């Protein structure tokens, strides 16, 4: 399989993981703003847990698809893309929180 096809599939999966992390950020904004992260009820934990776990699993899948193309032959590019995915995921959580906070206030 051509490497660009594998990288394209990994990019699509990585976009899905950042969407899940953005959704996690949306649901995280209210309890974070109200400083009640340690007193969440079961429903709130589920609402936060599903996009978080889903985003982690999808990001893990994206890294494994990317490893098919680049892990052995181009390790530097693979590491750079892994770091970019982590940074993009953190920015997606922050973006979801800020988007949600702007709608609340």
């Amino acid at each position: 399989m051509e490497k660009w096809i594998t990288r394209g599939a990994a990019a699509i999966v990585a976009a899905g993981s950042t969407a899940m992390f953005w959704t996690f950020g949306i649901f995280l904004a209210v309890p974070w703003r109200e400083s009640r992260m340690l007193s969440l009820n079961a429903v709130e934990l589920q609402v936060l847990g599903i996009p978080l776990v889903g985003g982690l699993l999808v990001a893990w899948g994206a890294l494994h698809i990317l490893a098919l193309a680049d892990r052995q032959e181009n390790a530097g590019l693979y590491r750079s893309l892994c770091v970019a995915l982590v940074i993009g995921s953190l920015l997606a959580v922050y973006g979801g929180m800020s988007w949600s906070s702007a709608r609340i206030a």
Side-chain angles (χ1 to χ4, degrees), residues 73-105:
E73 297 168 8
N74 200 349
L77 177 64
Y78 176 73
R79 284 191 205 106
S80 299
L81 291 175
C82 290
V83 169
L85 181 61
V86 169
I87 292 170
S89 298
L90 293 174
L91 289 174
V93 171
Y94 177 75
M97 288 180 67
S98 63
W99 184 85
S100 183
S101 295
R103 287 350 174 234
I104 293 171

Side-chain angles (χ1 to χ4, degrees), residues 7-33:
R7 288 182 190 133
I12 292 169
V13 175
S17 74
T18 55
M20 293 292 287
F21 286 125
W22 186 78
T23 304
F24 171 71
I26 287 175
F27 293 133
L28 184 66
V30 172
W32 185 272
R33 193 181 105 214

Side-chain angles (χ1 to χ4, degrees), residues 27-28 30-32 36-45 48:
F27 293 133
L28 184 66
V30 172
W32 185 272
R36 57 183 185 90
M37 289 301 297
L38 298 176
S39 62
L40 298 173
N41 61 27
V43 173
E44 291 171 328
L45 284 173
L48 288 173

Side-chain angles (χ1 to χ4, degrees), residues 38-76:
L38 298 176
S39 62
L40 298 173
N41 61 27
V43 173
E44 291 171 328
L45 284 173
Q46 284 181 337
V47 168
L48 288 173
I50 290 170
L52 177 62
V53 171
L56 288 171
L57 290 174
V58 174
W60 180 64
L63 291 177
H64 279 284
I65 292 171
L66 187 61
L68 292 173
D70 289 325
R71 180 179 257 174
Q72 297 295 330
E73 297 168 8
N74 200 349

